[in-house]
Amino acid sequence: MNVLGIESSCDETSVAIISNEILTANLISSQDFHAQFGGVVPELSSRAHLQIIIPLLKAALKKSNLNLSDIDLICATAGPGLIGALLVGLTFAKGLSYSLNKPFVAVNHIEGHIYSGFLMDEKPEFPYLVLVVSGGHTLLLLVESFTKVHQLGTTVDDAAGEAFDKVSKLLGFGYPGGPQIEQAAKQGNSEIISFPIADLKEPYNFSFSGLKTSVLRYVQNNFKDVSSISAGDKNDIASAFQKAVVKALSNKVEKALKQFPVKSISLTGGVAANKALRESFALISKKYDKKLVIPGLEFCGDNAAMIAFRGMKSYEHGLVNDLDFSPYPGLTPKHFS
Ligand code: KG4
Ligand code: ZN
């Protein structure tokens, strides 16, 4: 069976093919031009998806040694995401499904991330805990099977990646902020400043807006403006901030491990590229003797391989969507409770 996956929810256009359970292509085109605007511009994102989606499909077919008529199943991200951007991939997928007369599966983007560990040779074992951390989401989930997921907690304000992006902007670094904060943090001393970690009533929820505000206050109280912060001071601020985020995320994972007898833990989403966070997860997995699955970088950020995989599993469990499927007002994950 040849499964086509299409992802266009934000600023990555991606087309992937899973052929007889083997990933044969996962092409990702990142829209780097948003950096000049300090964030993703939705209309420009949609236009860029439109420009690249057909060449990407052709390249993915070529890489997989397949013709379009060989595709048996078509899966596309159907939300959450930017509505105009989503519509490009989704409408394209529906058109292919109609013209090829092959089934179409609408995939929830978060469900794609949740199961992305299965794209690795070493796969998660059910039940497992997964932390999905990206520019738009921060979710801690207990995954029992391909059809049963419990959401333990989420952010009550900013997503983890969003906090990286906002603090990056505050320090005069560019967008996306995560890699730049990480780079600065490497050269800084995380012990000089202590930023607070939110203590919420809900045991597994996260909050990053207070942390972001304390970084802002620290800058306002100690410097005239951004241009007067030395590179060394920026590094120390970045380092202390990153330490607080990693601690906030890791604390909740440890708490969940004490309550839920899982076999594995997984970490995914764009922020999972962060080395300090990966190292913290490695320590936790050792401490609690759990299998750790962190997908490779090409599967952590937005990619169509995870969409093809999730769509394929949904199809195996009997899901096929009608072509009048709408991504608005939003796709609720099928199996969340
Ligand atoms: O999953 P993703 O590519 O897109 C979505 O938001 O869905 O995640 C992008 C987010 C951005 O906020 C970016 O700053 C963050 O992931 N990010 C990182 C790192 N690389 C990317 N955050 C921390 N450390 C990194 N190395
Ligand atoms: Zn994502």
Side-chain angles (χ1 to χ4, degrees):
M1 176 151 112
N2 298 314
V3 183
L4 178 70
I6 295 172
E7 156 67 35
S8 72
S9 64
C10 190
D11 57 347
E12 260 92 26
T13 322
S14 181
V15 175
I17 294 174
I18 296 177
S19 183
N20 298 325
E21 312 265 321
I22 293 167
L23 181 68
T24 51
N26 182 35
L27 305 181
I28 304 167
S29 167
S30 293
Q31 303 171 0
D32 300 332
F33 60 81
H34 293 292
Q36 65 189 298
F37 306 109
V40 177
V41 183
E43 176 63 18
L44 296 183
S45 166
S46 310
R47 292 179 191 199
H49 287 308
L50 269 172
Q51 275 181 320
I52 198 77
I53 200 156
I54 292 175
L56 272 187
L57 171 65
K58 285 183 176 166
L61 287 168
K62 194 170 175 201
K63 192 154 186 253
S64 308
N65 277 323
L66 293 171
N67 294 313
L68 193 50
S69 55
D70 297 324
I71 297 296
D72 302 300
L73 175 67
I74 296 150
C75 314
T77 303
L82 302 171
I83 194 70
L86 280 170
L87 279 173
V88 175
L90 193 63
T91 311
F92 185 58
K94 287 182 186 178
L96 286 174
S97 161
Y98 184 74
S99 62
L100 298 171
N101 198 22
K102 294 289 160 63
F104 159 71
V105 172
V107 178
N108 176 280
H109 181 82
I110 301 300
E111 289 193 6
H113 278 303
I114 289 173
Y115 296 104
S116 58
F118 285 89
L119 296 164
M120 304 299 285
D121 291 339
E122 274 297 321
K123 302 180 193 319
E125 286 171 42
F126 295 120
Y128 65 92
L129 275 179
V130 61
L131 181 72
V132 182
V133 266
S134 73
H137 305 280
T138 308
L139 293 156
L140 183 60
L141 305 132
L142 175 62
V143 189
E144 289 193 22
S145 68
F146 284 119
T147 54
K148 205 167 181 193
V149 177
H150 303 286
Q151 182 176 311
L152 303 180
T154 186
T155 181
V156 296
D157 39 59
D158 293 345
E162 193 179 354
F164 271 95
D165 294 335
K166 285 180 175 170
V167 167
S168 174
K169 202 169 182 179
L170 209 129
L171 293 178
F173 300 138
Y175 174 87
Q180 310 201 41
I181 292 278
E182 178 168 22
Q183 198 52 37
K186 259 186 217 154
Q187 299 158 61
N189 182 345
S190 66
E191 305 299 324
I192 291 176
I193 317 157
S194 173
F195 290 126
I197 293 170
D199 190 14
L200 302 170
K201 249 204 221 142
E202 289 289 324
Y204 298 114
N205 275 352
F206 305 91
S207 168
F208 294 106
S209 78
L211 171 60
K212 174 198 63 191
T213 307
S214 9
V215 177
L216 175 67
R217 293 280 173 267
Y218 181 85
V219 168
Q220 287 172 335
N221 293 338
N222 292 281
F223 306 95
K224 206 165 90 243
D225 53 31
V226 186
S227 60
S228 60
I229 315 175
S230 71
D233 283 332
K234 282 187 185 181
N235 292 344
D236 292 341
I237 296 169
S239 194
F241 163 76
Q242 179 176 275
K243 186 180 167 191
V245 175
V246 170
K247 202 158 177 214
L249 295 170
S250 303
N251 283 352
K252 297 291 161 103
V253 173
E254 284 209 49
K255 189 182 262 190
L257 280 172
K258 286 175 191 154
Q259 187 178 350
F260 303 102
V262 294
K263 292 207 170 115
S264 319
I265 49 177
S266 188
L267 167 69
T268 187
V271 183
N274 188 279
K275 237 178 140 200
L277 184 58
R278 286 174 168 249
E279 282 166 8
S280 176
F281 264 64
L283 287 177
I284 292 172
S285 81
K286 269 209 189 101
K287 182 171 166 190
Y288 293 87
D289 194 22
K290 305 291 177 195
K291 181 175 184 178
L292 174 64
V293 179
I294 305 180
L297 290 186
E298 73 274 31
F299 305 130
C300 273
D302 291 347
N303 69 90
M306 68 181 192
I307 301 304
F309 180 82
R310 178 58 194 153
M312 181 174 78
K313 286 292 154 196
S314 297
Y315 181 73
E316 285 170 9
H317 285 91
L319 179 75
V320 172
N321 289 100
D322 293 332
L323 293 185
D324 63 1
F325 181 90
S326 169
Y328 189 79
L331 177 70
T332 32
K334 272 266 168 296
H335 310 293
F336 274 33
S337 61

